[in-house]
Amino acid sequence: MNKKIILSTALVSTLFAINLSAVSTEDRITALENEIKALKTGKANSKMVNEMDERLETVETRTIVDRISLGLGMRVEMNNMSTTYANGTSPANEDPIFRTKLNLNMKSDIADNLKFTGRLSSYKNWGDSNYDQMTMANMDAKQGRTPDNSSALYVERAYLDWALNNGSDYPMFLTIGRQPSSDGPSYQIKEGTTRKGTYDALAFDGAADGIVFTANLDKALPGTTSLRFAYGTPNNGSTYNSTTMKDTKVSGIFLDKTCSLLNADHLIQIYAVNAKDLMANPSLANPTTGASLDKNIGDLGLYGAMFEVQNVAGFDFFAHYAHSTAKPNGNTVDLSAMGYGTTEGLLSSSSTTSEATGHAIWVGTQYSMADWSVGAEYNQGSQNWFSFTFSPNDPINKLAARGDAKEVYVAKKINKYANIRLGYVDINYDYTGSGSWLGAPMDITNPFAATQVKESKNTYLTFNVLF
Amino acid sequence: MKKIYVGLLVLCFGVISLFGADGKALANKYKISASEKAGSQWNRVFDNESKMAKLGIDKLSADEKKALEAYLVAHAADSDAPAAAGM
């Protein structure tokens, strides 16, 4: 009996063991299958990772090789101008002037402590192929800034920002090359862009070569504070590196502060500039001998301050004041050979060395709502007001006016990168020669000023793209 | 008149120096370079606590975050970046 029980137990145990063994093998097979699957998936993943790595390397290579990133700026404008002379007459014909400005903007982060910024520009009147010497488009400050008869690309900006002490609490920079000296504040408010230049647009607007030292004092003062020392040779004459004349040299100091206060953006700039050895730069040579009439005629000092605040419940405001002091050196240019019958010096018509001081103000506001903005500006310049706004974006250089100018405009954003603006400018000149440093400004009511411009009006339409 | 104008200007400068704080100063403080990312990428950073923590800016006040985000977006790699010497 016991034997039977023992045999039965052994048999059951064997069968159970065999069964157990069978389950275990099945599980193992399943596990192995899973492992194979996982390996296959892993292999696939690994393959995918390798493929992605290759693709990323291609992108990385292109990023490394694409050393300069390019941007587009384009403005198409129509200016419908109307001119009235002091004697009450007007030109027989004033057709609307259409112009296109193309900016190819460049930037490159060369290294942590070195950046490049550039702008190649073409600014052309539509259908203009005749050489017009009176535009003096060959003048250095005007290249790429003043429309002419050529679609040539000029280097309007090309500068390196070199961080001298990267990572320091008081970073210092040298900006070397063709400077961002045009389209400065508060020009950007009307344009609907960020700040596009270093200097107060009431005093400076044009291309200029030079070197600027910037000390960033953010650590010492809240917000952003920059102290700048600038030096340049913005040759305003007919000859560069002449053997008979000194090149014009400009040096200046600028204190610039930006910050956000109560959710509004503020900018303050205070400056003092000295321009030495200005050249007369009469637009024509002696018609008989062909000799240049150019001479050094004196120095100019510019002092000013500006304040702007943006984004106050949709409003932007700005106010600028500048003071100019012309110091003639007694040299005059004899223009009698050119039929003018006059001699002219720095803001003078005789061999005087007396200082001539002038001043100007510029105020404006803009209100923005959704895609629309409306704005108004006013500026006024005194008899001897003179600045370096050789190359403004407006065709009648309103900020140089020795008189007063009013402007109103309405602008609409087409999309993030484009806007269209309709505006009206009315300038009343009280004195002659606005924007010129040659000759004594005359009261516009003087009989000798009968053929000078008394009033300029411009209704304009611009289409701007910045991408 | 000129003295009053200069006085007002100095006063404005002083007041702003006392109370002002902006996105650029915060970016400098936290050593964040705006041109490292595009504007939409910076917006994503400020929508994500862990991304902000990575930059160490998660503990900033709402106003500071707003100012910093506005600065970084305004100066992002694809932005209409301001231009001035040494900027």
Side-chain angles (χ1 to χ4, degrees), chain A residues 159-179:
Chain A
Y159 58 92
L160 292 164
D161 277 315
W162 173 25
L164 299 173
N165 55 347
N166 218 11
S168 161
D169 285 345
Y170 295 95
M172 289 181 275
F173 303 88
L174 272 184
T175 305
I176 310 158
R178 202 150 172 81
Q179 299 285 323

Side-chain angles (χ1 to χ4, degrees), chain A residues 236-279:
Chain A
N236 73 314
S238 57
T239 314
Y240 178 68
N241 210 3
S242 159
T243 53
T244 55
M245 283 186 302
K246 291 178 179 172
D247 288 334
T248 305
K249 295 160 211 77
V250 173
S251 53
I253 179 169
F254 301 81
L255 187 61
D256 193 301
K257 183 165 187 65
T258 60
C259 69
S260 291
L261 182 62
L262 304 174
N263 290 328
D265 302 318
H266 297 68
L267 168 66
I268 289 179
Q269 188 177 92
I270 302 170
Y271 55 89
V273 174
N274 179 46
K276 207 162 168 46
D277 299 315
L278 285 172
M279 297 177 192

Side-chain angles (χ1 to χ4, degrees), chain A residues 262-265 309-317:
Chain A
L262 304 174
N263 290 328
D265 302 318
V309 54
Q310 290 186 260
N311 307 320
V312 183
F315 281 95
D316 303 326
F317 303 95

Side-chain angles (χ1 to χ4, degrees), chain A residues 84-383:
Chain A
T84 307
Y85 300 116
N87 60 11
T89 62
S90 294
N93 178 46
E94 286 185 280
D95 283 332
I97 297 172
F98 292 86
R99 292 170 168 167
T100 301
K101 181 157 199 231
L102 168 70
N103 292 340
L104 286 176
N105 299 317
M106 304 173 285
K107 60 180 180 178
S108 177
D109 291 339
I110 299 166
D112 287 345
N113 61 349
L114 195 62
K115 287 180 183 176
F116 165 78
T117 310
R119 182 193 285 178
L120 300 178
S121 305
S122 161
Y123 198 6
K124 187 178 178 295
N125 298 314
W126 285 15
D128 183 3
S129 298
N130 300 313
Y131 179 66
D132 181 357
Q133 190 163 14
M134 291 311 287
T135 66
M136 295 192 295
N138 55 342
M139 183 180 171
D140 190 65
K142 297 192 171 195
Q143 289 186 357
R145 298 283 310 163
T146 302
D148 64 7
N149 53 24
S150 160
S151 55
L153 274 177
Y154 291 100
V155 179
E156 188 183 336
R157 296 179 178 190
Y159 58 92
L160 292 164
D161 277 315
W162 173 25
L164 299 173
N165 55 347
N166 218 11
S168 161
D169 285 345
Y170 295 95
M172 289 181 275
F173 303 88
L174 272 184
T175 305
I176 310 158
R178 202 150 172 81
Q179 299 285 323
S181 48
S182 54
D183 303 335
S186 299
Y187 186 74
Q188 81 283 355
I189 290 177
K190 185 165 57 180
E191 286 291 289
T193 65
T194 58
R195 176 182 178 175
K196 290 298 173 202
T198 310
Y199 311 118
D200 180 350
L202 177 61
F204 308 91
D205 202 356
D209 302 313
I211 183 164
V212 177
F213 171 81
T214 304
N216 191 324
L217 309 175
D218 297 359
K219 190 77 179 173
L221 294 164
T224 302
T225 307
S226 301
L227 183 62
R228 293 189 173 93
F229 298 93
Y231 175 81
T233 56
N235 177 33
N236 73 314
S238 57
T239 314
Y240 178 68
N241 210 3
S242 159
T243 53
T244 55
M245 283 186 302
K246 291 178 179 172
D247 288 334
T248 305
K249 295 160 211 77
V250 173
S251 53
I253 179 169
F254 301 81
L255 187 61
D256 193 301
K257 183 165 187 65
T258 60
C259 69
S260 291
L261 182 62
L262 304 174
N263 290 328
D265 302 318
H266 297 68
L267 168 66
I268 289 179
Q269 188 177 92
I270 302 170
Y271 55 89
V273 174
N274 179 46
K276 207 162 168 46
D277 299 315
L278 285 172
M279 297 177 192
N281 193 26
S283 55
L284 299 171
N286 185 313
T288 314
T289 64
S292 170
L293 297 170
D294 217 350
K295 284 179 186 172
N296 289 121
I297 51 173
D299 306 335
L300 183 87
L302 268 176
Y303 315 92
M306 60 147 293
F307 174 74
E308 73 182 29
V309 54
Q310 290 186 260
N311 307 320
V312 183
F315 281 95
D316 303 326
F317 303 95
F318 64 83
H320 298 233
Y321 173 81
H323 177 89
S324 63
T325 304
K327 299 170 189 164
N329 61 8
N331 283 345
T332 56
V333 177
D334 183 1
L335 301 180
S336 54
M338 294 155 63
Y340 292 120
T342 55
T343 56
E344 296 184 340
L346 179 60
L347 294 180
S348 64
S349 53
S350 63
S351 300
T352 182
T353 53
S354 302
E355 284 188 1
T357 59
H359 66 266
I361 59 156
W362 178 31
V363 293
T365 184
Q366 180 181 267
Y367 178 69
S368 305
M369 195 175 64
D371 290 337
W372 290 89
S373 57
V374 289
E377 297 184 7
Y378 173 81
N379 63 279
Q380 192 267 334
S382 69
Q383 179 174 5

